Amino acid sequence: MGFQFTTMTLNLLLLMAMVATNILSLYHLTTTTLHSPKSPNNPPHVPDQLLHQLHTIRATINHLTRLHPNTPTTHSTKPNIPQDLSLYSHLSPIPSSCHSHPDLLHRYMSYTPFSLCPSDQDIAESLILRGCHPLPRRRCFSKTPQKPLHSLPINNPFPSLSSLQETLILWDRYTCKSFNCLNRQNPSLGFDFEVEASKFDKYKSELDLPVNQLMQIARSAKSVIRLGIDIGGGTGSFAAAMRRFNATVVTTTMNVVAPYNEAVAVRGLVPLHVPLQQRLPVFDGVVDLVRCGRAVNRWIPVTVLEFLLFDVDRVLRGGGYLWLDHFFSKGADLEKVFAPLIGKLGYKKVKWATANKTDAGGVKNGEVFLTALLQKPLSR
């Protein structure tokens, strides 16, 4: 019955399309006959709008005919294909944002099929940051580094730089060819893992939340933190700190200026190559904690930030925690824009601490830091 209904519906659509085509053609002939001179040397001008409508209708008919070759317009037999196989045979479409950047998209899709993929990670990053994610699929082989020589020590989530296998990283696109070089170039990039460890082990100000204190807060609330997501987590230091407490945290990160994804993986952690504007690739209500690192700040458009927060709410279970770690904005904007935006979630404020941002940019723009630990209601 389902097949008959589908065929009847399709036939009706085709009939309506052909009738519409005839009506439009008749209308055009009538109007041109009444209002234009009858001269064989001056054929009537066909309006662009009418041509567009006719082309659209005809393209629709051709498209429907190709999708359903078993319709009465053709006399072929229906192939015997299981419905579930047909369902999973469709490739995921690329977002419309890809089409807004045709030059980048053309460069990314200019490759030789069934051969080694071009070294174009910079183009891929540019497309992803512009909303073209997931990227179009390609039939080429990505260049990969050699296999690991040894396993990482389980009891040391913050290994020294010398113990990490830097040969597992493809350095072709970077000026630096080692973690030490990145540290010398810019210590704030997060590749000094000893400094990174101190961020989650020590309490220096009200803005800090050591991991052991976080776990104590959860235990006091009779809650459990087993699974988490670190949004904009850089080199994965928070995930490494949580591993000591038997918690699994995946890190979303980008390779904008350094090999962050590879650094996370070299440490035996899981990186997710995901931009901030993308829906988190996690099912509803399955994680206990979401941390937003310094990648989440006032530079994000308010609408994008609102969607991000509500997507965090989607993946958090009831009683789960959202940790905004050193979120910075202008002081006035925090009071008038961001605090009300965060308040829309209706979460319990476990911790809410602010302090002035004292670097040159912070002083110039009147910026403040916010560290907030918020708990999702058990039920709505």
Side-chain angles (χ1 to χ4, degrees):
M1 291 295 294
F3 170 74
Q4 292 179 356
F5 175 77
T6 303
T7 304
M8 292 175 60
T9 304
L10 179 61
N11 292 338
L12 181 60
L13 287 173
L14 291 173
L15 178 60
M16 292 175 63
M18 288 186 286
V19 170
T21 304
N22 293 333
I23 292 175
L24 286 172
S25 301
L26 180 61
Y27 170 77
H28 169 65
L29 292 174
T30 303
T31 54
T32 53
T33 302
L34 293 175
H35 300 287
S36 61
K38 298 180 180 180
S39 173
N41 298 326
N42 297 316
H45 173 69
V46 181
D48 292 339
Q49 183 179 4
L50 177 60
L51 284 175
H52 177 71
Q53 291 173 339
L54 290 174
H55 287 316
T56 301
I57 294 173
R58 288 167 183 166
T60 303
I61 295 173
N62 292 334
H63 179 64
L64 292 173
T65 304
R66 286 195 303 270
L67 289 179
H68 297 270
N70 55 315
T71 57
T73 55
T74 62
H75 299 284
S76 60
T77 59
K78 179 184 178 182
N80 186 18
I81 300 177
Q83 291 185 356
D84 54 348
L85 181 61
S86 300
L87 175 65
Y88 293 110
S89 66
H90 295 287
L91 294 177
S92 299
I94 58 176
S96 58
S97 298
C98 293
H99 301 292
S100 300
H101 308 280
D103 294 339
L104 284 174
L105 185 61
H106 175 73
R107 289 169 59 193
Y108 181 75
M109 294 305 292
S110 297
Y111 70 98
T112 303
F114 313 113
S115 64
L116 196 65
C117 293
S119 180
D120 56 1
Q121 283 299 314
D122 289 334
I123 301 175
E125 290 276 327
S126 297
L127 283 170
I128 291 173
L129 291 173
R130 286 164 174 78
C132 180
H133 199 265
L135 292 170
R137 294 186 177 184
R138 302 192 297 185
R139 291 173 293 176
C140 60
F141 301 102
S142 298
K143 185 179 179 181
T144 54
Q146 63 184 20
K147 65 180 181 180
L149 300 177
H150 55 80
S151 298
L152 290 171
I154 298 177
N155 59 351
N156 184 16
F158 291 93
S160 63
L161 293 181
S162 59
S163 66
L164 291 176
Q165 304 172 58
E166 295 182 343
T167 56
L168 298 180
I169 296 178
L170 299 176
W171 296 96
D172 300 352
R173 55 184 288 221
Y174 305 107
T175 304
C176 283
K177 308 300 179 185
S178 68
F179 291 143
N180 282 320
C181 175
L182 290 171
N183 282 329
R184 290 193 301 269
Q185 190 179 72
N186 187 349
S188 65
L189 290 178
F191 287 92
D192 188 335
F193 299 139
E194 294 181 2
V195 174
E196 289 291 298
S198 66
K199 294 181 179 179
F200 303 104
D201 286 345
K202 299 179 180 179
Y203 183 92
K204 299 177 182 177
S205 72
E206 280 293 320
L207 295 173
D208 297 320
L209 181 60
V211 170
N212 58 354
Q213 183 181 359
L214 170 67
M215 301 305 286
Q216 180 60 44
I217 290 173
R219 285 193 296 269
S220 299
K222 296 182 179 180
S223 185
V224 177
I225 297 179
R226 307 156 302 163
L227 301 174
I229 302 174
D230 188 15
I231 298 177
T235 58
S237 294
F238 176 66
M242 292 296 289
R243 188 168 62 182
R244 292 180 296 186
F245 292 85
N246 199 28
T248 301
V249 175
V250 296
T251 304
T252 74
T253 188
M254 298 290 292
N255 282 23
V256 179
V257 295
Y260 284 104
N261 280 273
E262 294 96 321
V264 174
V266 165
R267 301 174 71 177
L269 305 168
V270 181
L272 294 180
H273 194 210
V274 174
L276 295 176
Q277 68 266 36
Q278 185 196 333
R279 184 180 190 268
L280 292 169
V282 178
F283 194 70
D284 302 1
V286 295
V287 300
D288 309 302
L289 170 70
V290 175
R291 172 184 174 268
C292 294
R294 295 196 185 186
V296 180
N297 55 60
R298 76 177 182 93
W299 297 112
I300 303 175
V302 175
T303 303
V304 176
L305 180 61
E306 183 175 28
F307 275 108
L308 173 62
L309 292 177
F310 275 87
D311 200 39
V312 168
D313 177 78
R314 177 185 63 81
V315 302
L316 276 176
R317 63 168 176 79
Y321 292 94
L322 165 62
W323 178 10
L324 295 171
D325 190 5
H326 285 75
F327 175 91
F328 71 84
S329 68
K330 293 182 178 180
D333 290 342
L334 177 61
E335 180 180 355
K336 297 180 181 179
V337 179
F338 297 111
L341 180 62
I342 297 168
K344 289 181 180 180
L345 296 175
Y347 285 14
K348 175 184 176 182
K349 291 183 179 179
V350 180
K351 179 183 178 71
W352 187 278
T354 60
N356 292 329
K357 194 168 180 283
T358 57
D359 61 354
V363 174
K364 177 181 177 181
N365 297 310
E367 294 174 335
V368 296
F369 278 123
L370 165 68
T371 290
L373 183 66
L374 310 168
Q375 187 175 26
K376 180 177 178 178
L378 290 173
S379 60
R380 294 290 186 184

